[in-house]
Structures are given as C-alpha cells and as structure tokens.
Amino acid sequence: MNTVIANTALGTSIADLSADGYAEDYLLAIALDDTLSPTATLLEHAELLAMEAAFIGQQLTAITLDTPDHYAGHLAELSTALDSYEDAASIAEFNGLALSCAHVQHNIRLCLADPSLFAVPQVEALQGWIGAVQDYLADIGDRDAGMPLLAQLGNPDWPLPLDMEAAGLLLAQLQGIGGVNAPATPTAHKRTASAEDASLALPEDVNQELLDLLLQELPIQTQTLSAALHALQADGSLADVDTAQRLAHTVKGAANTVGIKGIAQLTHYLEDILVACAQLQKLPGHSLLHALIAAADCLEAMSESLLGLSPPPDDALAVLQNILSWANRLESEGLDSLTALPTTGQTLADTAAEPAAANAEKAQAAMVRIEAEQLSQLFGQAGENLILNSQANQRLRRAKNLLQNLLEQFELLRGLGDELEQLIDLKDLSGRNATSPATPHDALEMDEYNELHTASRRLVEAAFDARTIGLDARQELDAMKQILDEQQQLMSETQEAIMATRLVAAATLIPRLQRSLRQTCRLTGKHCVLSFSGEHLRVDGDTLNTLTDPLMHLLRNAVDHGIESPEERLRLNKPEHGTIHLSFAHEGNCLLIQLRDDGRGLDFTAIRAAAEQRGVLSPDQAASEDDLTQFILRPNFSTRSQATQTSGRGVGMDVVNYQVQAQGGSLSLHSEPGQGLTVALQIPLPLSRAHALLTAIGPYHLALANHGIRQIVLAGTNPLSITEDGQYAELDGHRYPAQTLDQLLGLPGYRKPDQVPRLALLVEHQQTTTAILLDGVTDGLDIVIKNFGAYIKKTPGFIGTTILGDGSVAPVLDLPELLRLAEGGAAAWQDTALPLTAPTLPSILVVDDSLSQRRALEQLLQDSGFQVSTARDGVEAAEHLAVTLPDLVLTDLEMPRMNGIELTGHIRISSATAALPVIMVTSRTTQMHRTLASDAGVNAYMVKPVREDDLLATIHRLITAPSA
C-alpha cells in the first residue's frame, strides 16, 4: 500500500504566494484569524491552494526533455515547490490533498533516481494531476470532487501508480476535508485522560518560527476566551458561546499545528461542549459553567508557562479530566439534564469588567515583533545621541564665552587705537608748530598725513572689522544653538517614543490576578469581587512583571486571612461577597499600588500570640499596633497553626516585602479592625532621562535628580542649629529638619571650618520636608541616566550615572531615598560606606590680564597637580576670594582696574586672607617695584621669564611653610 505521511513545516513571513511558494505562511495566518467562520476559512484556504497549484502548473509547462541534466534540474525545482505545497495543504487541514502531493513526490524521486523512468507520458501525468487538483479545489463542496484526482493518481504512466487500498484511504480524506461532507456521527470520546494528554512538551522537531507566532497570539486568544465565558455569568447570551467556541477552535488548530498536545486536547473537548450548547441553543448550567471557567483559567496558565512566566499548572490533568467527563456526559445525556444558569449572586468569585480582555480582538493593531535586546540597543543609542548633543552644547557655550572674550579684546584694541590716533595727531600738530616753516595753508584747513597716521587708522579700521566679524560669528553660533536645541528636542521625543514601546498597561496583570483570586476562592469556599482603578496606567513592562507574584501573594492573603466566610459576613451585616479593590497610580517617579479589602483587618491578638510563641516578644513587653504590624513582615512568621494550600507556611508577606525592597520600593500596611486592610506598595520606576542639578563635594561631581525637590532657597549666613531633637535649618521663616549633603552621603568633610553652606534644597519624602544644605549648584540640565552595569549591584540612594558635557562621569542621586535610608539608621548607612582616600589638591588663584599668560600658567599648574582658578585683574580676584579661599595667589603686577600691588594690599587687610601666600610674577626688574611689592606684603617676587622649576619650588615652599 502506497501510504505517505506529510510532515508540516512552515515559515512565518507572508511573501508572494504564487512566485515564492509561501502560501503555507498565509494559510497559518488565516487559521489563527478567529474572525472568520469555518466555511469562510475553508474557502479562503481553497483559493490560496488553487493559486499555488496554478504556479506549479506553470513550472510543469517549462519542463523539456532535451537532456537528462536539463530536466533533472526542472524536476528538482518541482520537488521543492511540491514540498511547500504539501506543507500548505497540511496546515489548511486538506489532508487528502497533502497525501496526494506526497504520492506525487515519491514518483518524482523515483524519476530523479532513474532518469529512464521520466518521459513524455510522465510529464503529461504530472500536468493531468495538477489540473485535477485545480478542479478539486474549485468544487470543494462537492463530495465527489476528488474522484478525478484519484483517477489521475491511478494512471499507469506513473512509475508507482496508486493502488486500490491506498485510493480508498485517500478518498476518505478527500471527502472529509475541513468538516465538509464529514460523517454526521462524531468520534466517541475517550473516558480517561492521561498525563500525556495534558503535557505541554514541545516536539523535538518543532518549528521555532511557527512557535513564536503561536506564542504571540495565544495570550490574547486565551484571555478573550476567558472573558467570553465570564460574560455568561452576567446576562450572557448565545453570542458569547459562539465567541468562546470560535476561539477554542482557533486555539485548537494552532496548538495541533505546533504539536502542543495539552492545549490541543483541552480546547478540543472544550469546543465539543460549546458546539453542543450552540446546537441546542442553551446556555451551560452553573456547574458546567464553572468547569468551563476553570478550563479557561488552565489555558491561560498553560499560555503563561509556554511564555516562561510561570511553571505548568499543577491541576492541568484534573481540569482536562473534568472537561472530558462533561463532554462524555453531554454526549450521553444532553443539556436537558443540566440545571439552568444561576444568577451572579451564586458565583464563587465575580470580577469587575474586563474591557481589555473582552475587546482584545477588536483592539489588535498591526504589530511588528522585535527582540527586547534590540529594543534596548535602540534605546541606548538614543541616549548616547542625547549625551553627544549635550556635549556639543557644552562646547558651544565655551565657544560663545571665548567669542565674548574676543569681542572684549577687540573693544580694548579699538580703544587703544583711538588713543594712539589722538596721540599721533597731537604730537604731529605740536611738532609742526614748533619746527615747520610757514605754509600758505593753516593746519586746520589742510590735514597732513604720514605713514604713522596711516598705520594708526588702519589699526582702528582693522579693530572695527574684527569686531564685525566677531558679531557675525556670534550670530552663527546663536543659529547653531537653536539647531542643537531643536535636535535635542527631536532626540528626546525619539527616546520617549522608544521608551513607550517598553510601557504596558497595568491591565495586562488583571487576567492572572483574577485567575489567582478564583482559584483561592475555590480552595477557601469564599465569595469575592475584585475591582480595579487606574488599570490603564502605562508602566515599565519589566517592573510590572516583577510585581505579578507579590500581588498574587497579597490577593491570596486577602482572601484567606482577611475576607470572612459568607456566613460570618452575613452575621456582621456585610454583603455575602467580599470586596477587594486594586488601584494603580503615579506618585512622582514612583508607581503606587494599593490593595484594599473589606475583611476583618489584622488580628493583632493572634499576631502578638504568634510573636510571643516564637520568642520575639515577651509577654510583659509593650508593643503598639504599628510594632505588631511589622512582625508579619518577618520571615517564617504566620498566625496559622496549621498549613493549608493557601497559607500557614510563613512565606507570604515577608516574600512580598523582600521583592518590593529588592526593587528599591517600600511596603506599608494600614488596618482598621472589622473594616479591612490596605497594603500600599511604592515602587520607583526606572529612569532614563531626568532634570538634574549639578553640584560638587570636594573633587567629586554629583548630579541630583529633581525627583522630590520642591524648592531651592538661599541658606543665609548661619542656617544650621543643633538641638536635642536633631539638626534644623531656619529658611524663609520656616523650620525644617536639615542635613548637609556630605553628611547625608557619609563623605569626609571637605568644607573648611569657617565655610558655610550657601544653598538649601527643600526635599519632600514620606509626608515631610527636609532641607539639604550644599555649597552651590553649578548647573541645571537634562541628563541621560545610565545604570552601573553588571558588576555593580543596585546602590541605595543612587539611580545610576550620567556623562556630563565635558565627558566626565557623575553619579545621579535620589535624595528622597537617601533621606529614607538616613531615617532608617544613619549610622548604619555611613558605616557601610567605603572610606574615601582621594586627597584634596592644593588650589591656586592665577591673576593676569594676559589671556595667553593665564593659559600657560593654568596648564603648568594643573599638570603639576594643583586645582587652578583664574581672574583677569585684581577686582575679579577680590570677588573670587570673597567666595573661595585658595591656598596661594599668583599675580601679575600691572593690570587694569586693580594692579597686583593693590590686590596684595587688599588681601593683607582682611583677617580671612591676611596669611594667604602671594607670588608676584612681572617683567619689571627695578628695585623700586621690588620695594613696593615687599611693602604691600608679597611673599615672593619673580621676574619674567620664569623657569618652571623655580616657580614650582617657590609655590611648594610657600604652601608647605607653617603660617605665621
């Protein structure tokens, strides 16, 4: 008997159906499209297969019998096309057509192995067969449409014609395609399900692309199926039964295609039950409906298991056996023997409306699959673009500052040119009056110019021209600044758009939470209603996924520990159904989740008894309700004496608290006796961009994220006051708890004893406002936050790092989190900090009106290990000394506004700077200038050009010398 079984294999991209032979891909897409009726799907499949058959017919007409090598190539191409066609027929469930293709393929291989078997009769047999295939597909509804096809395969011109036994089997397949003309009597169900029937194991030869396509569609389809079945609990109709039946059929076909037996078997029996309901025009009764809902829950759990979100459901075999039993019962007894559908008051666990799941199929839009790693790379590249733009802006600001200095020099040059021109005119006029002979013209009537006049005029004109060019350059820089700002805005929008692809609605958690609630209600025999608010809030998908298990823990605890039994609730004049409300909201840069139930609240008597039993609390020890509340967050703590399936093992609230803290979040509990318990989770959301304030502590540059910063105020002359209650600051007439930033970070004291903080940041955290004192803010800008990498674990109080415009790296601080850590134990926080050994570099103030001289000295001193600041004259230097006190001043003698002698005198008359060493570097060599400098208080007088070694030796001697 010639029996060939076709193997199914396909890709997932829909290409040109006729030209490239990818019809099987589109056929699978149709199979997964649950909006088509079975008849419409069948006709759509037949049309696509007919198109592919026409393409194969074109290949057959191109076969010539010139030489064996020539037609062998054509036969090989034909064999490849038939492989694809056989796969497509299998996917479309045209099993008879697939077997027909397999038989033709076997004959082609025989011809390729022995070219003498292939001649004109064989070519005609192939052409006749493909023509019969097209006729069969054109008249697919006719039960006898496959007879001509069988006749063609029985043609004796084939190397291996179809025998009678194989023809009988093939005819049965051709007549039963897609349910058309299928036998009216259904196949009897088995009585007992096996573990293999509920298995989610993938076939060894599973097509990965096909599996990916299934996993993309399966969660939506199972959620929609569950929503349709839940709709039957409240004013359901036969339309919901039809929807559920169609979805079960779709999932069954897709699971069979991939080879996932557990899903295929469960949906097969589920579909049989729903088809029976639809045929008899009756809704399922109470018991059957709950069995169907349990099956839908199991399907969702199977879907999540395949996605790697959870282990396979433990009750899969039990659920399958229950559905199989119902299918057998309906087959033997019919729906007439079942009770009517109850009202919603009789349900075990009602849930709020599921708009996201119920409208899932309507809300589906065109989607493109992209790997998460590739998305992260795009996001990172967008961030790098923002960093480069920030660095370009930094360079632009420097260029504008240099240009401003250049314009000031041009103004100085123009002024000097004017003075020179006046001096030349005066000198020339006086010289002519004294020595020149009489001329017929008065000097005021006729100007007389020489080369000096011409050079001075050209100097003035060149200064004007240079100033004009400088102004033009400033306009170009302003235009460049505008372009960079627009580019930064565009890149920010691009990064936000990429970030939005990582955001998902909180509603995506709802199906799993509802399923967990229903399972807990079934185990405890309690009735609950779960409602939501803020479920449309979009948050980071990774954050939401990590919250799934904690929220399921909280739901189970709420039902098992909080919600009373129906009888007890009725005695307390409460509704029979308990209510659990879950809300999602944004609070600053945090996700705030609150789960509130209307149960009995915390049993503080039982908590205290359990604490005393475990020895963590003595019988005579006082403990407030807040103290007792914290006990339930301890590991292995439970108020139950016996463990059940839902509680009593002490692995509930402590696990939730640990998982929340692992994300940098916090958990709080608020209980009202007899009214219920509210659990609040505050989870910081991952930041990619933020506005930050730049500051410094000693040599360390820091970025302070604006999260929680309410206001920036001037600190005043003496803002801090220390009392028995702690450290406080008086700011704008208000008294705030206060800390300096270096105290908060546990850094060594870089501030000099007489140095007072100049700014205060008012930071809000946990319903309080604290003043953070710091020396100053150098800049405020938008930054891109990068994580610390794989080798540094999450550090409390630090969001990440950022690259500044000059290329340096600065950590990004979360001030509210740092304050929470300090309140939780400041000493412990500081003790865990690593000691910082970075030395404080000596600082030198260089004062010179020559830009080139300032630059040369600055470069020399920085290379020698000094911190250097500069000033253009004595006035700028005096302003700098009023803010920051250096270790030494290096000054020129001759400068505008205030010269070096006057600056030294200003330094010596102030008690704060009287002992400050001063070195004067000048080109004046006379004893008179040396005497003036010494009298003013200059410590060292050096004449240009100065040897670098001599200058550095003098600086080292003065800095290390003990102060007088």
Side-chain angles (χ1 to χ4, degrees), residues 520 523-524 526 556-557 559-561 638-651:
T520 307
L523 291 172
T524 60
K526 297 180 180 180
R556 286 193 289 268
N557 280 346
V559 175
D560 196 29
H561 291 276
S638 177
T639 58
R640 293 287 175 87
S641 58
Q642 292 183 347
T644 66
Q645 288 183 294
T646 57
S647 65
R649 297 177 178 85
V651 291

Side-chain angles (χ1 to χ4, degrees), residues 610-854:
E612 292 177 359
Q613 182 181 359
R614 286 163 175 77
V616 295
L617 193 66
S618 59
D620 57 347
Q621 183 178 352
S624 65
E625 290 186 352
D626 290 339
D627 296 331
L628 294 174
T629 299
Q630 296 304 312
F631 281 122
I632 68 174
L633 301 180
R634 288 172 173 258
N636 303 318
F637 188 92
S638 177
T639 58
R640 293 287 175 87
S641 58
Q642 292 183 347
T644 66
Q645 288 183 294
T646 57
S647 65
R649 297 177 178 85
V651 291
M653 294 301 296
D654 67 302
V655 171
V656 175
N657 190 43
Y658 174 81
Q659 291 175 323
V660 169
Q661 289 182 346
Q663 299 181 66
S666 61
L667 181 149
S668 62
L669 303 170
H670 177 69
S671 176
E672 296 182 20
Q675 301 299 317
L677 173 69
T678 300
V679 182
L681 310 181
Q682 192 172 39
I683 309 296
L685 295 173
L687 283 176
S688 58
R689 293 179 59 246
H691 188 79
L693 304 176
L694 300 185
T695 187
I697 298 179
Y700 304 105
H701 296 281
L702 305 170
L704 311 177
N706 66 343
H707 164 52
I709 299 178
R710 190 187 75 186
Q711 189 178 357
I712 304 175
V713 296
L714 293 175
T717 56
N718 190 17
L720 279 176
S721 60
I722 301 176
T723 67
E724 295 180 355
D725 298 331
Q727 194 170 240
Y728 293 89
E730 297 287 342
L731 302 168
D732 288 345
H734 296 85
R735 191 166 182 255
Y736 300 99
Q739 289 196 58
T740 60
L741 186 59
D742 54 348
Q743 289 174 343
L744 191 61
L745 294 174
L747 290 173
Y750 287 98
R751 186 181 296 107
K752 292 181 171 57
D754 56 347
Q755 190 173 354
V756 178
R758 296 188 302 145
L759 286 180
L761 306 179
L762 301 183
V763 180
E764 292 182 341
H765 69 106
Q766 296 181 343
Q767 290 79 47
T768 61
T769 301
T770 301
I772 304 296
L773 303 175
L774 58 157
D775 296 332
V777 172
T778 58
D779 200 357
L781 71 165
D782 290 329
I783 60 172
V784 176
I785 300 176
K786 305 172 75 68
N787 59 38
F788 288 110
Y791 298 102
I792 301 179
K793 67 179 183 179
K794 176 174 170 39
T795 304
F798 291 81
I799 303 174
T801 62
T802 187
I803 300 177
L804 302 179
D806 59 359
S808 60
V809 178
V812 183
L813 275 58
D814 185 346
L815 294 179
E817 186 174 359
L818 284 172
L819 289 172
R820 286 196 296 270
L821 289 169
E823 290 181 355
W829 158 250
Q830 292 183 9
D831 288 343
T832 58
L834 292 176
L836 299 177
T837 58
T840 302
L841 299 178
S843 59
I844 296 178
L845 174 62
V846 176
V847 189
D848 201 308
D849 60 333
S850 170
L851 177 62
S852 59
Q853 186 66 17
R854 289 200 309 272

Side-chain angles (χ1 to χ4, degrees), residues 130-152:
I130 200 63
V133 168
Q134 291 174 291
D135 293 338
Y136 167 73
L137 293 172
D139 198 14
I140 190 64
D142 188 352
R143 184 177 180 84
D144 297 325
M147 295 301 295
L149 184 58
L150 286 176
Q152 285 293 333

Side-chain angles (χ1 to χ4, degrees), residues 21-34:
Y22 291 149
E24 65 270 28
D25 303 328
Y26 192 53
L27 286 167
L28 177 64
I30 294 174
L32 294 175
D33 185 359
D34 50 16

